[in-house]
Amino acid sequence: MEFQEVVEGKIIVRSSSSISHYGIRLAVNGSVNLQVRGGSAGVIETLVGVAKPISIVNKIVEVRPSGKIASGTSEIPFSMNIKQPGEKKLERFYETFHGANINIQYLLTVDISRGYLHKSLSTTMEFIVESDKADLLERPVSPEMVIFYLTQDTQRHPLLPELKSGGFRVIGKMSTQCCLSDPIVGELTVEASAVPICSIDMHLLRVESILLGEKIVTEQSLIQTTQIADGDVCRNMTLPIYVILPRLLTCPTVLAGPFSIEFKVAIVITFQSDVAKVHSKSDPTTPRLWLAMESLPLELVRTR
């Protein structure tokens, strides 16, 4: 939903007997939850819990006053505008996002109060929020693409001796500003490689940063991997890049005060090697002797 819309639906109650209640209330809660799990020892561990949740919206409305719900199945419709025109908001309305350390979540809770002698009936569900119209990008996404190269000289980590001496050259181009509803597109070409290629993959990464006290803790994690090519591809053949973004694991790039959510892509070429077989379960984004990689920043936006 967008914030110009209302949250509406039905409260469904199934009961073998009638239920007396002291009111049916609906609560909407939206917040940015910041926490650092595990990770490096030291700074991160000592600062866990310092970042408090950022409240976006917190509202309670009464759907029905005291009364009785008949036995069987009852449907109670509701409609609620979580942002009234002119109403002061607690925080900017960020899009729903589920990350490793940052979660932007909107929850709807219905509570049927039954007094002191009976436990209240309650249930909670999440609803998905997209950008407020005021935050949408006015201009269309830039059609320009960024050119990238992968050679033995562009790599900052040690390579297999046969890769270093024999060399390789891969050239490509890709869009680095992308609308969330569109795929990431581009192309790449393997011009030369002294060592046979095993696989070419594109990793989508999120970079989450949290301000904890006077320090900024940044963590990078893998969202998804898309294989561009399998096996030792033909030289000088153009390979298309076409990657669909996962909805709940991505959102518009956010650069806020207490936190930021950014994205990047990593083009990774895996070369055939006996050493690679021993480490088949290693992190695909960690530099290895048999890997060549190039990272590009990715700005995600939502357009009108």
Side-chain angles (χ1 to χ4, degrees), residues 141-145 173-187 202 204 224 226 240-246 250 265 298-301:
V141 172
S142 173
E144 294 183 4
M145 292 194 175
K173 58 182 180 179
M174 194 193 75
S175 55
T176 56
Q177 185 187 63
C178 183
C179 178
L180 282 159
S181 57
D182 297 333
I184 302 171
V185 294
E187 61 183 44
M202 193 175 94
L204 176 61
Q224 74 174 22
T226 303
I241 295 173
Y242 190 94
V243 177
I244 296 175
L245 298 168
T250 56
V265 292
L298 178 66
E299 182 187 5
L300 297 183
V301 299

Side-chain angles (χ1 to χ4, degrees), residues 9-21 24 63-64 67-78 110 112 121 123:
K10 294 179 180 178
I11 301 169
I12 300 175
V13 181
R14 295 186 179 94
S15 176
S16 58
S17 59
S18 60
I19 300 173
S20 296
H21 64 85
I24 301 175
V63 178
R64 282 195 179 178
K68 182 176 288 189
I69 300 174
S71 60
T73 300
S74 301
E75 294 187 354
I76 305 166
F78 65 86
V110 60
I112 302 176
L121 301 176
T123 188

Side-chain angles (χ1 to χ4, degrees), residues 147-155 159 162-172 188-195 197 200 232-237 239 267 269 271 292 294:
I147 296 175
F148 60 88
Y149 298 88
L150 288 93
T151 71
Q152 67 277 12
D153 297 323
T154 64
Q155 304 304 297
L159 296 171
E162 54 267 36
L163 272 176
K164 197 69 177 175
S165 59
F168 60 92
R169 179 179 173 85
V170 177
I171 184 173
L188 64 81
T189 303
V190 178
E191 294 184 348
S193 179
V195 177
I197 292 172
I200 301 177
D232 194 22
V233 299
C234 297
R235 307 303 186 250
N236 296 310
M237 184 175 75
L239 303 173
I267 307 293
I269 302 173
F271 296 94
E294 179 68 27

Side-chain angles (χ1 to χ4, degrees), residues 256-270:
F259 70 98
S260 66
I261 303 171
E262 299 172 275
F263 300 92
K264 61 196 285 190
V265 292
I267 307 293
V268 178
I269 302 173
T270 305

Side-chain angles (χ1 to χ4, degrees), residues 11 21-27 61 64 109-114 119-123:
I11 301 169
H21 64 85
Y22 291 91
I24 301 175
R25 293 172 183 81
L26 197 66
V61 296
R64 282 195 179 178
T109 301
V110 60
D111 187 81
I112 302 176
S113 177
R114 302 173 64 198
K119 185 179 179 180
S120 295
L121 301 176
S122 180
T123 188

Side-chain angles (χ1 to χ4, degrees), residues 99-156:
N101 296 327
I102 300 173
N103 268 290
I104 304 174
Q105 194 171 36
Y106 297 85
L107 300 174
L108 196 66
T109 301
V110 60
D111 187 81
I112 302 176
S113 177
R114 302 173 64 198
Y116 295 108
L117 299 179
H118 300 279
K119 185 179 179 180
S120 295
L121 301 176
S122 180
T123 188
T124 299
M125 70 176 297
E126 180 181 9
F127 61 96
I128 309 303
V129 168
E130 292 185 357
S131 289
D132 191 353
K133 290 180 180 177
D135 295 330
L136 295 180
L137 194 67
E138 290 281 358
R139 65 184 189 279
V141 172
S142 173
E144 294 183 4
M145 292 194 175
V146 172
I147 296 175
F148 60 88
Y149 298 88
L150 288 93
T151 71
Q152 67 277 12
D153 297 323
T154 64
Q155 304 304 297
R156 299 179 180 178

